[in-house]
Amino acid sequence: MKLASLKAGRDGRLVVVSRDLTRATDAQAIAPTLQAALDDWERVAGPLADLAESLAHGAAPSFRFHEHECAAPLPRAFQWLDGSAYVNHVELVRKARGAELPSRFRTDPLMYQGTSDSNLGPRDPVPVASEEFGIDCEAEIVVVTGAMPLGADAAAARAAIRLVGLVNDVSLRNLIPDELAKGFGFLNSKPPSAFSPVFVTPDELGDAWDGGRLHLPLLTAINGRMLGCPEAGEEMTFDFGALIAHAARTRPLGPGTIIGSGTVSNRDPDGSPGRPVAEGGRGYSCIAEQRMVETIRYGAARTPFLKFGDVVRIEMKDRKGHTIFGAIENRIEPAGM
Amino acid sequence: MKLASLKAGRDGRLVVVSRDLTRATDAQAIAPTLQAALDDWERVAGPLADLAESLAHGAAPSFRFHEHECAAPLPRAFQWLDGSAYVNHVELVRKARGAELPSRFRTDPLMYQGTSDSNLGPRDPVPVASEEFGIDCEAEIVVVTGAMPLGADAAAARAAIRLVGLVNDVSLRNLIPDELAKGFGFLNSKPPSAFSPVFVTPDELGDAWDGGRLHLPLLTAINGRMLGCPEAGEEMTFDFGALIAHAARTRPLGPGTIIGSGTVSNRDPDGSPGRPVAEGGRGYSCIAEQRMVETIRYGAARTPFLKFGDVVRIEMKDRKGHTIFGAIENRIEPAGM
C-alpha cells in the first residue's frame, strides 16, 4: 500500500493512496497520523491494507490525490539517521573537500542524525539564508522502521522495514568543511530535508526490492534538466539492514525512525567515478559529485551550486515507467520570504 | 510550575508536581502529554499554572509523587541538540583523546544531534552492551524550547525557553575516537540519555536563572561518592540563547526541542583545569575530566570508567538546599538484562 500525509496541523492527516497516485481515501478511522499508525503497526497494518484494497476496487469513498497537498509522510519524525552507503559518493565528496577517506569505509558505515522535526513536504520551498552556503541536493532512498531493540542484527533490521520512500537531503556544502573540522559532525550544514509524496510498503516494489536494497534508477533533475539516473541497488555498499543494525548497536530505535541511504551514486562502467548524463553516463544525485568529476577532468568545477529559484526534482519509476513515490519538487528560496 | 510525565505508553502521562516534589495532580484534562502541552503552550500554560497554584493550596485532587515512577519528562522528543558550552570541559576532553582544540572554540559553539526517541527516565537503568565501551556520565543542564523560526537570534531564543531540567548524557568514551575520525560526529558513542524527574518553568528558579544561564552547583555522585559540584552558570561560555540561535541558523526548531549545555565544568580558582572534591575542589561532572586531570598530574588516569552495577546520581539544589528537579539516579546494566 501507499501512504501519504495531507497537510493538517503539525503531524498531517493520514490517507491511503491508489497505486497510480490519482485517488486517495481517508484513513482517520484507522489512525489519525502516520506516526500513530507506526506506533501501533501490528494492529493497523491489516486494516490499512484492506482499505487500500477497497480503494483499488472503487469500494471506498475517495477523492483526487494531489501531490502538492502533501506534507512529508512523517511531517515530524522522532529520528532521522542518514547513512552514506554508496562508497563511490563518499570517496568523491571527501575528495571534493580535500579530506581523506577513512580506512574502514567499506566495513563501518558513515551515519549522522539530522533534523526531523520540520520535515519538508514534496513540493515545499527550501528556505536558505544565503546562496553563499553552497546549496546542494542529495537524492536518496529512505526506509521507515518499526521498533528495534538495542543490538538488533541486520536480518532483524530488514524484517522491521515498514515503508520505503525518497528524500531530498538538502546540504549546505560551503558550511561543511568548517563544521566537520570542529569534530562534532554536521549541524548547520544539514537543514531540513524534503520527502516524497508517498511512502510505500516493500511489497509495492515487487522484485525491485531485495529486502535491503532498491534496484531501480533514481532520477534527479535541476530546472528540468537531468542531473542523474544512477541505479540505486547495485552499488549500495551497505544495505538498509546493515545501516539499521549500525544505528542499533548502542541505541534502540523507536517506530517511525527514518533511515537514509546517502546520495545514490554509481561508478561509470569504464571505471571512472561517474560520467554526465549528457555524455551517456548515469550522472549524479547531487551537484557536489558533478563538480568533483569536473575538477578531475578540467582542473576546476564548472557547475555552480543551486541558486534561489532553482528547482530540484527527484523521482523513481518502476520498470513500466510509472512513478512509484510521486515526485519531490523543491524550489530554493531565500529564508524569510 | 514543575511538570513530570508518569510512565504510561510511549509518551507518558502529564502531571503537575508540587514545588517540594511530594505531591502531584493529573493534568490530563489540560493536555495528555508534555509534548501536547508544548505543541499548544500559548493555550495551556495558563491553565497548567492555575492547576499548580491549586495543588500548592491543597485545592486540587492530588497523590503522592514518586520520582521512580517517572518517565523522562519528554519520553520521546523530536529533537535533542547537545551543545558543549563549557570550554574548560571541551579543552580537557579533547586533550584526553589527543585532539586539538579548534581555533574558533570561543565564538562558534560545538553541538550535535543525539538520539531522543527513547529517552530514559530518571531511575531507569542504562543498558550498555560492554564495559569495554568506556561508559561515562555527563551531568548537564537542559532547556526545552517553544517553536523557533529559522534564523532566530539569541534574544528571541532566550524568550522561547519554556522549561529547564537536568540530563545524564551517557557517553561511550572508547567509541568516540574511532567514530570522530570518520568525520560524521557522534552516533554509537552517544546512546540514550536520562532526564530529571521534573522539568520546571524558569520562574521556579528565581534569581538563579539569568535568562540564559543557571547559577547553581550541579551535584554528581558515583556510588554515593561526590564526583563534582561545579557551578553551572559562571563558566558557561555560550548561554542557552546562543546555543539555540546556533541551532536555528539553518533550521527552524519545533516546540519541545531539548537543548543541552554540555558537561558542566569549572576551572579551579588556582588556575588549574579542575581539582577533585576530596581536595576541596569543585570536582567534575564526568569521569573523563577526572581522568584527564589525573593524567596531567600523575602521567596516567587512575579512575576507571563506569562498570556494570555502578550508580550515577545527578541533582541540583536551590540556595536553601531543596532539590529543584529531583534526582537522576541510573544504574549501569548489561544490555539485554
Side-chain angles (χ1 to χ4, degrees):
Chain A
M1 62 187 156
K2 301 191 175 192
L3 300 172
S5 295
L6 299 185
K7 285 177 183 277
R10 296 188 192 281
D11 296 296
R13 185 162 67 85
L14 182 64
V15 296
V16 174
V17 184
S18 63
R19 187 157 294 167
D20 65 0
L21 305 188
T22 62
R23 310 286 303 171
T25 185
D26 199 289
Q28 299 298 290
I30 300 170
T33 66
L34 182 52
Q35 182 64 54
L38 290 159
D39 284 348
D40 199 15
W41 192 252
E42 289 67 24
R43 193 183 65 76
V44 305
L48 286 173
D50 292 345
L51 185 59
E53 191 71 13
S54 297
L55 177 66
H57 292 92
S62 71
F63 50 88
R64 190 92 180 89
F65 177 70
H66 297 291
E67 297 183 16
H68 66 264
E69 292 174 357
C70 291
L74 287 168
R76 51 181 182 175
F78 289 103
Q79 190 154 245
W80 155 232
L81 298 170
D82 197 10
S84 198
Y86 299 83
V87 170
N88 188 53
H89 171 78
V90 180
E91 205 163 2
L92 273 169
V93 171
R94 294 180 81 96
K95 270 188 195 162
R97 53 176 198 253
E100 290 286 305
L101 197 66
S103 56
R104 321 182 291 295
F105 71 108
R106 284 186 189 279
T107 54
D108 182 16
L110 288 170
M111 184 175 281
Y112 71 94
Q113 180 157 2
T115 185
S116 59
D117 73 339
S118 309
N119 291 330
L120 299 173
R123 304 299 163 89
D124 287 349
V126 171
V128 182
S130 170
E131 291 178 340
E132 301 301 311
F133 289 174
I135 309 163
D136 200 358
C137 57
E138 292 194 347
E140 308 185 14
I141 316 296
V142 298
V143 299
V144 178
T145 76
M148 298 290 310
L150 192 162
D153 66 11
R158 280 177 210 112
I161 294 172
R162 301 279 182 252
L163 300 168
V164 183
L166 305 180
V167 68
N168 175 14
D169 177 43
V170 181
S171 297
L172 304 175
R173 299 286 178 201
N174 295 343
L175 301 186
I176 291 179
D178 274 3
E179 196 152 68
L180 296 198
K182 292 198 289 174
F184 271 34
F186 307 104
L187 191 90
N188 288 164
S189 48
K190 290 288 188 175
S193 298
F195 292 84
S196 52
V198 303
F199 284 175
V200 312
T201 47
D203 60 287
E204 290 284 342
L205 302 168
D207 64 4
W209 178 249
D210 71 8
R213 291 179 178 83
L214 182 49
H215 294 272
L216 286 169
L218 181 61
L219 315 176
T220 302
I222 311 286
N223 299 330
R225 189 169 174 169
M226 182 71 73
L227 176 67
C229 52
E231 209 279 341
E234 61 192 38
E235 293 185 47
M236 191 183 186
T237 310
F238 303 98
D239 83 340
F240 279 109
L243 293 177
I244 297 165
H246 177 72
R249 185 180 171 211
T250 63
R251 65 177 70 184
L253 305 180
T257 296
I258 307 174
I259 305 277
S261 68
T263 307
V264 175
S265 178
N266 287 169
R267 292 184 69 81
D268 200 65
D270 73 2
S272 72
R275 226 173 356 143
V277 173
E279 297 178 16
R282 287 175 174 175
Y284 318 99
S285 301
C286 68
I287 294 171
E289 271 197 28
Q290 177 160 28
R291 289 168 56 89
M292 181 58 205
V293 170
E294 289 167 351
T295 302
I296 293 169
R297 288 174 156 206
Y298 312 120
R302 294 179 172 186
T303 306
F305 288 119
L306 297 168
K307 302 287 182 199
F308 294 139
D310 284 349
V311 175
V312 177
R313 184 181 168 97
I314 297 170
E315 195 169 14
M316 182 175 263
K317 294 180 177 175
D318 65 19
R319 297 206 179 96
K320 292 179 179 160
H322 300 127
T323 190
I324 299 173
F325 307 103
I328 298 172
E329 199 171 285
N330 304 125
R331 184 181 301 273
I332 311 299
E333 289 192 356
M337 296 295 285
Chain B
M1 63 188 155
K2 300 192 175 192
L3 300 172
S5 294
L6 300 185
K7 284 177 184 277
R10 295 188 194 280
D11 296 297
R13 185 163 66 84
L14 182 64
V15 297
V16 174
V17 183
S18 63
R19 188 157 295 168
D20 65 2
L21 305 190
T22 61
R23 310 287 302 171
T25 186
D26 199 287
Q28 299 297 292
I30 301 170
T33 65
L34 181 52
Q35 183 64 55
L38 289 159
D39 284 347
D40 199 16
W41 193 251
E42 289 66 26
R43 195 182 62 78
V44 305
L48 286 173
D50 292 345
L51 185 58
E53 190 73 12
S54 297
L55 177 66
H57 292 92
S62 72
F63 51 88
R64 189 91 180 90
F65 177 70
H66 297 291
E67 297 182 16
H68 66 264
E69 292 174 356
C70 290
L74 287 167
R76 49 181 183 175
F78 289 104
Q79 188 153 245
W80 155 231
L81 298 170
D82 197 10
S84 198
Y86 299 83
V87 170
N88 188 53
H89 170 78
V90 180
E91 206 163 3
L92 274 168
V93 171
R94 293 180 81 95
K95 270 188 194 164
R97 54 175 198 255
E100 290 286 305
L101 197 68
S103 57
R104 322 181 290 295
F105 71 108
R106 285 186 188 280
T107 54
D108 183 15
L110 289 169
M111 185 175 280
Y112 72 95
Q113 181 157 0
T115 183
S116 59
D117 73 339
S118 308
N119 291 330
L120 299 173
R123 304 300 162 89
D124 287 349
V126 171
V128 182
S130 168
E131 291 177 340
E132 301 302 310
F133 288 176
I135 309 162
D136 200 359
C137 56
E138 292 195 346
E140 308 185 14
I141 316 296
V142 298
V143 299
V144 178
T145 76
M148 299 289 309
L150 192 164
D153 66 12
R158 280 177 209 113
I161 294 172
R162 300 281 184 250
L163 299 168
V164 183
L166 305 181
V167 69
N168 175 14
D169 176 44
V170 181
S171 296
L172 304 175
R173 298 287 179 200
N174 295 343
L175 301 186
I176 290 179
D178 273 4
E179 196 152 67
L180 296 198
K182 292 197 292 175
F184 270 35
F186 306 105
L187 192 90
N188 289 163
S189 49
K190 291 287 189 177
S193 298
F195 291 84
S196 52
V198 303
F199 284 175
V200 312
T201 47
D203 61 288
E204 291 284 341
L205 302 168
D207 63 3
W209 178 250
D210 72 7
R213 291 179 178 85
L214 182 48
H215 294 275
L216 286 169
L218 181 60
L219 315 176
T220 302
I222 311 286
N223 299 330
R225 189 167 172 171
M226 182 70 74
L227 177 68
C229 52
E231 209 279 340
E234 62 191 37
E235 293 185 46
M236 190 181 186
T237 311
F238 303 98
D239 83 339
F240 279 109
L243 292 177
I244 297 166
H246 177 72
R249 186 179 172 212
T250 62
R251 64 177 71 184
L253 306 180
T257 296
I258 307 174
I259 305 279
S261 68
T263 308
V264 175
S265 179
N266 288 169
R267 292 184 70 80
D268 200 64
D270 73 2
S272 73
R275 229 176 349 148
V277 173
E279 297 178 16
R282 286 176 174 174
Y284 317 99
S285 300
C286 69
I287 294 172
E289 272 197 27
Q290 177 161 27
R291 288 167 57 89
M292 182 56 206
V293 171
E294 290 167 351
T295 302
I296 293 169
R297 288 175 156 203
Y298 313 120
R302 294 179 172 186
T303 306
F305 287 120
L306 298 168
K307 303 286 181 198
F308 294 140
D310 284 349
V311 175
V312 177
R313 183 180 169 96
I314 298 170
E315 195 170 14
M316 182 174 265
K317 294 179 177 177
D318 65 20
R319 297 207 178 94
K320 291 178 179 162
H322 300 126
T323 189
I324 299 174
F325 307 103
I328 297 173
E329 198 170 286
N330 304 124
R331 183 181 301 272
I332 310 300
E333 289 190 358
M337 297 294 282

